[in-house]
Amino acid sequence: MRSIQEKMEIAFDLSSIFTDNIQRLEKADLLKYSPKRYWAVAKSIDTLGEMSSKFHGWKRIITMYEKIIDHDEDQSVYILWDKVDGNKSVLKGILRVGYKTLYLTDNEQNQYMEKAMCILDFFIVPTEQRSGNGFKMFDAMLKAENVSVEQCAFDKPSAALRQFLEKYYDQKEPVMQSNKYAVFPNFFIGRHPTVPFTPRQTKRSSRASSAVSSHTTSRNTSPIGRNRPRHDSVADLMRQDNFTRGRSVIDPNSPAGFKLTRDQRHEPIW
């Protein structure tokens, strides 16, 4: 593969099939420009996709002609190019987008399920950067797709892309998602959460609350309250009567006293 610092030329005059220097290609267009006859289209996408993955430090190439053709969801790819002398063209950048249904969470922890325009790959050849090409390409995409930057979700946005969005579109502090997408706070304006956030008690506070409730309930429902008179049960009265009778003093000079002294060989202890 050629260095990403080189000007990316291809030995094909893209003006023979493309009508715009920022060419939008849907799946139907890609099928029409099949590699058997229009090899330069697949070559341009694959080359720019490989350069993009290398530039972003990704482990695999995510933008390829065959992947777009075989993908279940419809996607569009934009190619920024220009004609040079002879039958050559210079490739300047690539932008791949498509609608996806995403599960998202805002800063207040409300949950959403939204079908959003997703920015899947965005790359400008380094030798073509700092010339307004990125803004020109991105803005053309927004107009063609009829969306605003606030309505877009960004797949694994790099630091360079975040700086670009802040510089040209004043988009700051992205809301990062667990699925590695990012949206900006204004994305959620006018949208209704599928699962509104509800604060939950911690297990410790829940147990403490249950204990207090149980203690309060038992205290309030007990038949012997703090400020209520005690009513002895029949069993209590019988135990008290037996105890009192058991403690009666026996006259040692009585027949029972003589018998007790004889049998136990000692005086009663009460």
Side-chain angles (χ1 to χ4, degrees):
M1 175 184 163
R2 298 174 60 175
S3 169
I4 58 176
Q5 296 298 331
E6 296 180 18
K7 185 178 287 292
M8 186 58 229
E9 291 186 356
I10 186 170
F12 189 92
D13 183 7
L14 291 174
S15 64
S16 63
I17 53 176
F18 288 173
T19 59
D20 199 326
N21 288 113
I22 302 176
Q23 186 65 41
R24 180 180 186 271
L25 300 169
E26 297 179 347
K27 184 180 291 188
D29 300 317
L30 296 176
L31 290 171
K32 181 175 66 175
Y33 298 132
S34 64
K36 289 184 178 180
R37 183 175 180 181
Y38 301 99
W39 63 269
V41 176
K43 180 68 173 178
S44 297
I45 295 172
D46 292 350
T47 300
L48 288 169
E50 187 177 1
M51 294 177 72
S52 177
S53 294
K54 183 177 180 180
F55 179 81
H56 290 104
W58 297 330
K59 295 182 180 180
R60 60 188 180 88
I61 302 172
I62 65 171
T63 298
M64 298 178 66
Y65 176 88
E66 291 294 337
K67 285 186 177 181
I68 299 173
I69 292 296
D70 295 337
H71 206 284
D72 293 336
E73 299 170 338
D74 288 334
Q75 299 181 358
S76 298
V77 60
Y78 292 78
I79 297 177
L80 178 63
W81 65 281
D82 206 353
K83 181 178 172 59
V84 293
D85 295 337
N87 294 323
K88 293 182 179 181
S89 302
V90 60
L91 302 175
K92 297 184 176 183
I94 191 168
L95 175 57
R96 181 168 61 92
V97 301
Y99 278 95
K100 288 179 174 290
T101 299
L102 302 175
Y103 293 92
L104 304 169
T105 304
D106 64 15
N107 284 327
E108 284 70 43
Q109 300 305 307
N110 299 301
Q111 299 178 27
Y112 301 76
M113 183 178 70
E114 298 288 344
K115 190 172 185 179
M117 168 59 68
C118 297
I119 311 304
L120 305 172
D121 194 358
F122 182 32
F123 169 70
I124 301 296
V125 175
T127 55
E128 305 295 337
Q129 294 178 8
R130 303 184 184 280
S131 302
N133 286 318
F135 173 73
K136 181 169 63 175
M137 190 179 195
F138 198 87
D139 212 50
M141 179 278 296
L142 293 177
K143 292 176 181 176
E145 304 296 337
N146 194 29
V147 294
S148 66
V149 68
E150 292 89 351
Q151 296 171 309
C152 296
F154 301 84
D155 187 12
K156 299 183 290 291
S158 63
L161 178 56
R162 294 197 296 268
Q163 291 173 3
F164 168 85
L165 294 170
E166 182 174 351
K167 177 180 179 180
Y168 289 104
Y169 297 97
D170 197 31
Q171 296 300 301
K172 305 174 182 178
E173 299 179 355
V175 185
M176 304 304 298
Q177 305 293 318
S178 60
N179 55 15
K180 297 184 179 180
Y181 278 81
V183 294
F184 288 91
N186 287 346
F187 176 91
F188 298 102
I189 294 179
R191 301 179 189 266
H192 301 286
T194 52
V195 183
F197 174 69
T198 302
R200 295 180 180 178
Q201 288 183 321
T202 62
K203 290 184 178 180
R204 179 178 297 179
S205 63
S206 179
R207 286 197 298 267
S209 177
S210 298
V212 171
S213 176
S214 176
H215 177 69
T216 303
T217 301
S218 63
R219 186 176 63 185
N220 290 341
T221 58
S222 174
I224 305 177
R226 176 179 296 178
N227 299 319
R228 300 174 64 179
R230 178 184 179 91
H231 298 284
D232 293 330
S233 65
V234 174
D236 290 337
L237 294 174
M238 291 177 66
R239 282 195 295 271
Q240 292 174 7
D241 182 61
N242 290 335
F243 181 78
T244 302
R245 285 185 295 175
R247 292 176 61 92
S248 60
V249 178
I250 301 175
D251 185 358
N253 297 318
S254 66
F258 284 119
K259 185 178 183 299
L260 181 63
T261 302
R262 184 191 64 200
D263 294 342
Q264 298 184 3
R265 303 290 182 182
H266 61 76
E267 294 292 329
I269 61 176
W270 54 58

